[in-house]
């Protein structure tokens, strides 16, 4: 079963590389930049720093995308909600960053997605006018961000037949067509984080998972290998804290007010073959929506909530019964066949790292990011959202470079393709199954070759699964997976459905054992 795909790009992350890099760090424990946190912002900082010529070290105490970065809606969006509340600045920034991801950074992982608001009797004239105005403003932002209309078409009204084609489960009674706009959707948020980390590694960054940073100051930290317990003192010219909702544990000078966003996971059949983001205005609110989103593995994700989440931050937050009921009640205002708890296959919740303000509701707290310098010299980046990770990383690094007077080149990440990036005719000519191309882009043929050369790797990881054992092999040899949880919950998203996770667990554990020999 064990195969060793060759690495021609230097982007391979695996247990062997991790061991070698820990040894090298012990021999020379001085770096230009230490990044703490392996979520989307942290790996974005590491990539930016490495491409600017800085000796860069990123450490993550768990796995890549272990925290909030894997619990998003998977949307790469221009900010309809922010437009509705008058936050034009963050909406424009989102539109710009969305275009960069779609066109340059990750065209293999981000796809255009139609967004449909069904025009049912419950949606009044004022709500329709507000949504239409928001969509038109979104068109202006898209044009201002120089994203082609051929990539993201302009918004329009669609007929009743078109609305039902996009969302067959919508109620027929009183349906008068719909309002359609276009946005971006990630194939998977955790895969974006892994692609960023691998690209950073290919550019010379050291990326170490299962390494905790302790006693962090602006000049370094004590690193602890959580697999062995060994420790190492690292000195750094600058330190960036990108630990998200745990940022106040690294930098006690800041105060966070996390909010929880919950999603439910359904079989695609429950929505009758959804091909658009079904966008449902929340009754009694202005500019707030629930989304039903077509997802890989024949799933639909329904979200999201925005609830205050005080108290200790868990490694894996979960939804509350009230949030589940809220999502079901909201979607059932527009669907023909009501969904019930028995239709839910799984659920997930993520915590947004919002800065505490005087507002009464986390829904009113700005989603703009902040870069803060602590008394100890640690640079902390918090807030923001997945779509704007690249700009967050750039701003944090610019601050660190100025603060520590580091010698660094200009930011290059606006035009930098990530590992696997491919689009257009080059994508069309890839010799691999379409399902693999959607997940791995230009690297899909290498994954397909693994499956073609080893019959055991050509089999699904569980009966009925669309994930091949070759994908687990690729994750272990190229994508930094170290244990079964990494394979099930982050390199693939099998773990979002508990029954699927249980069915594939034995294969994941056997693969980990085989590749650790």
């Amino acid at each position: 079963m064990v195969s060793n795909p060759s690495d021609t790009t230097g982007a391979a992350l695996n247990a062997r590389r991790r061991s070698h890099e820990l040894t090298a760090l012990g021999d020379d424990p001085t770096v230009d930049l230490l990044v703490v946190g392996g979520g989307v912002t942290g790996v974005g900082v590491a990539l930016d720093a490495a491409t600017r010529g800085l000796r860069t070290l990123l450490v993550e105490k768990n796995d890549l995308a272990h925290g909030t970065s894997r619990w998003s809606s998977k949307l790469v969006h221009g900010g309809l909600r922010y437009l509705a509340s008058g936050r034009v600045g963050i909406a424009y920034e989102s539109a710009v960053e969305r275009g960069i991801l779609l066109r340059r950074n990750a065209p293999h992982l981000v796809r255009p997605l139609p967004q449909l608001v069904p025009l049912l009797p419950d949606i009044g004239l004022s709500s329709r006018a507000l949504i239409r105005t928001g969509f038109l403003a979104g068109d202006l932002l898209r044009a201002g961000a120089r994203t082609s209309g051929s990539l993201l078409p302009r918004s329009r009204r669609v007929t009743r037949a078109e609305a039902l084609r996009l969302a067959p489960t919508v109620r027929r009674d009183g349906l008068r067509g719909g309002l359609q706009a276009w946005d971006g959707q990630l194939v998977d948020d955790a895969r974006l984080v892994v692609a960023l980390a691998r690209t950073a590694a290919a550019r010379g960054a050291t990326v170490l998972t299962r390494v905790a940073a302790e006693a962090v100051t602006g000049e370094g930290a004590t690193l602890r290998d959580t697999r062995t317990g060994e420790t190492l003192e690292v000195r750094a010219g600058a330190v960036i804290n990108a630990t998200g909702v745990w940022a106040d544990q690294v930098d006690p000078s800041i105060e966070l007010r996390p909010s929880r966003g919950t999603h439910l996971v359904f079989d695609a059949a429950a929505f009758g073959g959804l091909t658009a983001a079904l966008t449902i205005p929340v009754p009694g609110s202005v500019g707030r929506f629930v989304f039903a989103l077509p997802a890989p593995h024949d799933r639909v994700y329904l979200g999201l909530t925005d609830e205050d989440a005080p108290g200790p931050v868990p490694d894996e937050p979960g939804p509350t019964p009230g949030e589940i009921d809220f999502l079901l009640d909201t979607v059932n205002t527009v669907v023909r066949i009501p969904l019930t708890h028995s239709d839910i296959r799984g659920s997930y919740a993520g915590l947004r790292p919002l800065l505490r303000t005087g507002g009464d509701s986390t829904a009113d707290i700005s989603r703009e990011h902040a870069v803060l310098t602590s008394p100890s010299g640690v640079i902390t980046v918090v807030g923001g959202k997945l779509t704007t990770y690249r700009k967050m990383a750039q701003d944090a690094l610019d601050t660190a470079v100025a603060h520590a007077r580091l010698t660094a080149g200009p930011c290059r990440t606006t035009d930098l393709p990530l590992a696997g990036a491919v689009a257009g005719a080059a994508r069309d000519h890839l010799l691999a199954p379409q399902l693999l191309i959607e997940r791995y882009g230009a690297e899909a043929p290498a994954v397909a070759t693994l499956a073609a050369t080893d019959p055991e790797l050509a089999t699904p990881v569980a009966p009925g699964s669309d994930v091949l054992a070759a994908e687990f092999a690729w994750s272990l040899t190229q994508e930094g997976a170290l244990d079964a949880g990494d394979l099930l919950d982050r390199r693939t998203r099998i773990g979002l459905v508990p029954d699927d996770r249980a069915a594939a667990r034995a294969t994941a554990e056997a693969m980990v054992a085989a590749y650790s020999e």
Side-chain angles (χ1 to χ4, degrees):
M1 179 183 293
V2 179
S3 300
N4 291 297
S6 61
D7 168 40
T8 59
T9 66
L13 294 175
N14 49 49
R16 179 177 298 178
R17 178 169 180 165
R18 178 183 182 276
S19 177
H20 289 167
E21 291 191 328
L22 277 169
T23 299
L25 192 62
D27 294 337
D28 183 6
T30 302
V31 297
D32 295 319
L33 180 72
L34 169 63
V35 183
V36 183
V40 69
T41 306
V43 294
V45 171
L47 175 57
D48 195 346
T51 57
R52 296 199 204 190
L54 298 175
R55 186 186 182 201
T56 304
L57 167 64
L58 179 143
V59 296
E60 161 59 48
K61 70 176 181 180
N62 294 300
D63 182 30
L64 297 170
H66 182 84
T68 303
S69 293
R70 65 171 158 143
W71 302 129
S72 77
S73 65
K74 326 305 179 206
L75 286 176
V76 175
H77 61 90
L80 171 61
R81 176 178 172 184
Y82 308 122
L83 285 175
S85 57
R87 299 170 185 171
V88 177
I90 188 171
Y92 176 73
E93 181 177 88
S94 298
V96 170
E97 295 302 320
R98 176 186 62 187
I100 291 171
L101 275 165
L102 277 164
R103 297 192 310 270
R104 305 170 195 165
N105 292 164
H108 61 311
L109 295 177
V110 186
R111 63 178 183 179
L113 178 72
Q115 179 179 0
L116 174 72
V117 179
L119 294 178
L120 290 161
D122 295 340
I123 301 177
L125 291 176
S126 59
S127 293
R128 296 185 191 188
L130 179 62
I131 294 167
R132 182 61 179 142
T133 300
F135 280 180
L136 290 172
D139 291 339
L140 293 175
L141 285 177
R142 176 195 55 75
R146 299 185 178 182
T147 302
S148 168
S150 63
L151 185 61
L152 293 179
R154 64 182 299 176
S155 62
R156 64 189 182 102
R157 176 144 180 186
V158 299
T159 66
R160 183 178 188 271
E162 287 178 291
L164 291 173
R165 179 180 57 81
L166 292 168
T169 192
V170 166
R171 286 186 0 230
R172 268 75 165 168
D173 294 343
L175 179 65
R176 300 181 60 188
L179 298 175
Q180 179 185 295
W182 286 79
D183 226 327
Q185 183 185 34
L186 276 164
V187 171
D188 183 65
D189 44 12
R191 294 210 61 78
L192 175 65
V193 176
V194 172
L196 284 162
R198 294 179 63 230
T199 310
R203 296 295 179 127
T206 298
V207 178
L208 298 174
T209 60
R210 303 313 198 282
V211 174
E214 300 169 345
V216 180
T217 71
E219 299 177 344
T222 300
L223 304 184
R224 178 172 55 85
D225 184 343
T226 63
R227 306 187 94 194
T228 66
E230 296 180 357
T231 61
L232 171 67
E233 299 291 329
V234 168
R235 298 182 298 275
V239 177
I240 292 180
N241 170 23
T243 53
V245 288
W246 295 276
D248 54 358
Q249 297 179 21
V250 176
D251 177 5
S253 69
I254 65 172
E255 190 173 2
L256 299 179
R257 185 179 175 181
S259 77
R260 184 173 51 251
T262 288
H263 291 80
L264 307 179
V265 182
F266 296 85
D267 285 332
F271 283 82
L274 187 68
T275 57
L278 180 57
T279 304
I280 309 152
V282 175
S285 71
V286 177
R288 188 178 177 196
F289 303 89
V290 162
F291 301 93
L293 303 162
H297 311 301
D298 288 325
R299 308 292 185 208
V300 168
Y301 302 149
L302 176 68
L304 71 171
T305 63
D306 198 337
E307 299 296 329
D308 212 0
V313 176
D315 273 353
E316 293 195 13
T320 65
E323 289 173 308
I324 294 173
D325 289 341
F326 162 78
L327 292 172
L328 287 175
D329 290 345
T330 302
V331 73
N332 284 338
T333 65
V334 302
V335 295
R336 180 167 43 91
I337 302 173
L339 296 167
T340 68
H341 287 80
S342 63
D343 294 307
I344 300 171
R345 297 294 310 280
S347 62
Y348 64 91
L351 299 180
R352 306 175 184 91
L354 306 180
L355 281 174
R356 181 172 290 278
T357 68
D360 293 331
S361 168
T362 54
D364 297 324
I365 298 177
S366 173
R367 296 301 193 264
E368 293 184 68
H369 64 273
V371 178
L372 309 169
T373 304
S374 75
S376 72
V378 174
I379 309 296
T380 295
V381 54
V382 290
K385 53 200 179 74
L386 184 144
T387 305
T388 59
Y389 83 89
R390 193 209 61 81
K391 186 63 166 60
M392 293 170 64
Q394 179 182 348
D395 289 350
L397 186 56
D398 285 345
T399 300
V401 167
H403 176 79
R405 298 181 180 179
L406 300 175
T407 301
C411 178
R412 296 183 172 88
T413 55
T414 56
D415 292 306
L416 182 65
L418 302 184
V422 66
R427 177 187 173 109
D428 295 340
H429 288 93
L430 290 174
L431 298 177
Q434 186 62 32
L435 202 61
L436 293 181
I437 294 172
E438 290 176 358
R439 295 173 186 166
Y440 302 96
E443 296 179 318
V447 182
T449 297
L450 286 178
T453 56
D454 187 332
E456 289 188 59
L457 295 182
T459 59
V461 297
S465 175
D466 63 0
V467 176
L468 301 179
E471 296 179 67
F472 280 2
W474 181 263
S475 295
L476 288 162
T477 59
Q478 302 292 313
E479 296 183 336
L482 297 176
D483 64 22
D486 296 350
L487 295 175
L488 297 168
D489 301 327
R490 289 167 289 278
R491 303 308 179 277
T492 69
R493 304 314 292 274
I494 293 172
L496 288 176
V497 175
D499 289 347
D500 293 350
R501 191 183 198 280
R505 182 174 177 177
T507 300
E509 290 175 344
M511 295 282 287
V512 170
Y515 280 80
S516 64
E517 294 174 356

